[in-house]
Amino acid sequence: MIASIIMSCLIAFISWVWTPPALALTQIKLFDLSYSECPAELAKGAVTSGGSAAAANCFIVTGKAENGTYKTVYDADIFGRIYDANNDPIIQNRTRLGSIAEVPPGISDFELRISVPANQPLPLKLKQFKASGFSAQVRR
């Protein structure tokens, strides 16, 4: 009985003195968005994810990422909506578009490759883009 009380006190003391670092999500502002066609070597053989081998156009979305903290943010997931000229969504039922491996403090450039079905009319409309990541590496 006394041994279990001492062990409990020891565990409580250790957890009070040492705590693991918190891995909270950090919000990243994305702005100055634009897109351009992929270079030929990236666009070759582009297909959409729809069960068939439907032809697709390849685009690179570029912009600025603002990390307002003093720490590098890792594994930042990019969320947003992309619409065609008729306001139809390019990617159905999904807002996660990709990720940025590292976002240093301050403002930095990012780019993201997307595939758009060839039958959807241009220009594309990029809306509600944002990102969130972690202050320490999560995936190793």
Side-chain angles (χ1 to χ4, degrees):
M1 178 76 161
I2 293 175
S4 64
I5 293 173
I6 292 173
M7 186 60 92
S8 298
C9 290
L10 183 62
I11 291 171
F13 177 75
I14 290 173
S15 66
W16 177 70
V17 173
W18 179 81
T19 58
L23 297 176
L25 282 176
T26 301
Q27 299 301 313
I28 304 294
K29 179 182 174 187
L30 302 179
F31 60 98
D32 286 346
L33 302 171
S34 63
Y35 68 93
S36 60
E37 290 188 27
C38 293
E41 61 272 6
L42 283 178
K44 185 178 179 184
V47 294
T48 59
S49 63
S52 66
N57 294 321
C58 176
F59 294 99
I60 302 288
V61 175
T62 58
K64 305 277 185 195
E66 182 178 359
N67 176 358
T69 69
Y70 297 104
K71 294 183 177 182
T72 298
V73 173
Y74 299 94
D75 301 318
D77 290 322
I78 300 172
F79 299 94
R81 298 192 181 276
I82 304 174
Y83 298 96
D84 67 11
N86 297 326
N87 287 323
D88 293 325
I90 297 295
I91 301 172
Q92 296 283 344
N93 303 320
R94 191 177 78 174
T95 60
R96 184 187 179 279
L97 303 173
S99 66
I100 307 170
E102 291 183 9
V103 183
I107 296 174
S108 58
D109 295 324
F110 79 94
E111 66 179 37
L112 167 72
R113 182 186 178 277
I114 59 169
S115 294
V116 175
N119 63 350
Q120 291 198 269
L122 301 177
L124 300 178
K125 298 172 188 172
L126 309 173
K127 299 191 178 203
Q128 301 173 337
F129 269 62
K130 63 182 179 178
S132 58
F134 300 92
S135 59
Q137 288 185 332
V138 177
R139 303 174 192 128
R140 294 183 185 192

